[in-house]
Amino acid sequence: MNKSGSGTITAHRKVGQSTTLNRKYVKRPDLKESREKVAEEYYAEQLARRRARAEEINRRNAERLAEKQRATKAAPVAAIRVRKTTSAPAAPVARPTASELKEAAIKKALKTIEKDQPAETEKELKASPKFGVGRILLALGCATVSVFAIAYLININMPEFSLRVAAMQTGIEPTYPNYIPAGYSQNSVSAEGEKISISFKHNNGNAFDLSEEKSSWDSTTLLNNYIKPEFGENYSTIREHGLTVYIAPTAAAWVNGGIAYKITFGENSLTKNQIISLATSL
């Protein structure tokens, strides 16, 4: 403080440094960082809305399910008589908990919203074609073919089947000729005692019978006991493949393996070659 001649006191203040912020030292705001922050807040808000929407959908579904269960329990149940069985009870089915159902519903709703796609609808079931006339004709055709096939198989196996039945009745094991003269087919099979007879008939009306009978005879005994008493000396002897076959005008006979085979036929119904072929095919 200084004193002047006028007596006036003058005070001098020391000027200090200004505390006002200098703008050139103030940091400018980062626009990129601000945009990212706004975007994050926006996405967070959208996600919160989606979650809230999903929870609302799940809550409504749960309420509808609970209402449906209450209605089911309240409905009257008809009495059912249950029969007691010895079978083991079925294993209990594991059902998801309420929290699992809620979580699954939220995930499903979020996935649907994020993809912005409509929910898939159930596929329509194709109507089955009507059973028309074509199918009926096809079924009838198949049935007809089946009937003819069965008849054909029965016809083929009938001789063997008939012989099996005769074998059970007589106790002997008969054989069926592998050779049958042209035009002939089996007519019938009969059994009597220890003898089996098979008759064959021709398209022109001719026929012959083949009999098989247990016997202890040999070729000589057969000749003396059957051929000569019946036909005298009117017969021929043919030896073929170890067999001795005696052929008379209306009969033929031979012995093989303990079985006496005899063929009776009308005149000129069979030739000698046909008789020999029959004998060697048995």
Side-chain angles (χ1 to χ4, degrees), residues 15-65:
V15 178
Q17 189 176 0
S18 175
T19 59
T20 305
L21 294 175
N22 194 337
R23 291 186 178 272
K24 70 177 182 178
Y25 298 106
V26 177
K27 185 179 180 180
R28 293 182 180 181
D30 192 342
L31 297 179
K32 180 179 180 180
E33 182 179 355
S34 299
R35 286 195 295 270
E36 292 179 351
K37 185 175 181 181
V38 170
E40 289 178 357
E41 291 177 354
Y42 174 77
Y43 287 129
E45 182 181 355
Q46 291 296 320
L47 181 61
R49 290 181 179 179
R50 293 174 181 176
R51 287 185 177 275
R53 182 179 175 185
E55 292 179 354
E56 178 65 17
I57 293 173
N58 185 63
R59 184 185 63 79
R60 293 179 181 177
N61 291 337
E63 288 179 356
R64 285 197 292 269
L65 180 61

Side-chain angles (χ1 to χ4, degrees), residues 43-44 49 74 79 83-84 108 111 128 131 149-150 158 165 168 173 192 195 198 220 250-251 255 266 271 279 282:
Y43 287 129
R49 290 181 179 179
R83 303 174 99 185
K84 293 182 179 181
K108 184 176 180 181
K111 186 180 293 184
S128 58
F131 197 74
I150 293 172
M158 183 59 70
V165 174
M168 289 187 293
E173 188 65 27
E192 182 180 357
K195 179 181 177 181
I198 309 172
T220 302
T250 58
V255 177
T271 64
L282 287 163

Side-chain angles (χ1 to χ4, degrees), residues 122-166:
E122 296 183 356
K123 295 181 179 180
E124 298 181 356
L125 297 177
K126 293 183 178 180
S128 58
K130 295 183 179 180
F131 197 74
V133 177
R135 288 180 174 268
I136 295 176
L137 294 177
L138 178 61
L140 291 176
C142 292
T144 303
V145 172
S146 299
V147 170
F148 278 108
I150 293 172
Y152 175 74
L153 292 175
I154 291 175
N155 186 50
I156 291 177
N157 294 288
M158 183 59 70
E160 184 177 355
F161 176 75
S162 302
L163 285 180
R164 295 299 175 189
V165 174

Side-chain angles (χ1 to χ4, degrees), residues 221-252:
T221 309
L222 176 66
L223 175 63
N224 296 328
N225 293 338
Y226 174 67
I227 296 297
K228 286 184 176 181
E230 291 290 333
F231 303 101
E233 298 298 326
N234 190 16
Y235 67 91
S236 60
T237 304
I238 299 176
R239 290 178 175 84
E240 187 79 22
H241 296 292
L243 297 178
T244 301
V245 182
Y246 302 104
I247 302 176
T250 58

Side-chain angles (χ1 to χ4, degrees), residues 179 238-241 243 245 247 271-281:
Y179 165 79
I238 299 176
R239 290 178 175 84
E240 187 79 22
H241 296 292
L243 297 178
V245 182
I247 302 176
T271 64
K272 288 184 179 181
N273 290 334
Q274 291 174 330
I275 293 172
I276 296 300
S277 297
L278 274 167
T280 56
S281 72

Side-chain angles (χ1 to χ4, degrees), residues 81-95:
R81 299 180 63 182
V82 181
R83 303 174 99 185
K84 293 182 179 181
T85 61
T86 57
S87 59
V93 179
R95 296 183 178 179

